[in-house]
Amino acid sequence: RPRTGAAAFKDGNKEYKAENFKKAIEEYTVAVEADPGFAEAYFFLGSSFQALYRPGKEDAENVDRLNKAIASFQKSLETNKGATENQRK
């Protein structure tokens, strides 16, 4: 049975806090695939890609991380429903 977006997000947060960003990316990806409107998961997905990005390195893998970070942050903004005051800021 597939995991829920919330369960994958929780696992992603554990990996993120431990600075295991590659594993966090895997979990957050599961979360947004299970729940495409999960703005917070997109935000942390972007943050995980950003954590792996190294400014000044122009290799394809590094540039891809930056592009995925930007796309994830944009998706977070697009899907944010602004349900709370903090989310609207």
Side-chain angles (χ1 to χ4, degrees):
R1 172 181 127 185
R3 290 171 41 222
T4 65
F9 181 72
K10 185 176 178 183
D11 290 342
N13 288 345
K14 288 179 192 169
E15 299 295 347
Y16 186 90
K17 287 176 185 161
E19 297 185 7
N20 296 326
F21 298 113
K22 288 182 180 178
K23 288 292 291 173
I25 287 167
E26 291 174 17
E27 296 296 343
Y28 294 135
T29 299
V30 170
V32 298
E33 286 173 352
D35 181 359
F38 201 155
E40 196 172 5
Y42 279 113
F43 176 83
F44 280 99
L45 180 59
S47 188
S48 297
F49 278 117
Q50 182 180 9
L52 294 175
Y53 172 71
R54 297 291 169 254
K57 278 187 72 181
E58 296 303 320
D59 62 279
E61 185 178 16
N62 196 48
V63 171
D64 189 51
R65 287 182 188 127
L66 177 61
N67 290 332
K68 287 179 176 177
I70 293 166
S72 297
F73 288 135
Q74 288 174 330
K75 193 72 175 164
S76 176
L77 290 170
E78 289 169 15
T79 57
N80 185 347
K81 302 285 188 267
T84 68
E85 184 60 34
N86 281 340
Q87 289 175 326
R88 285 190 285 272
K89 292 181 183 175

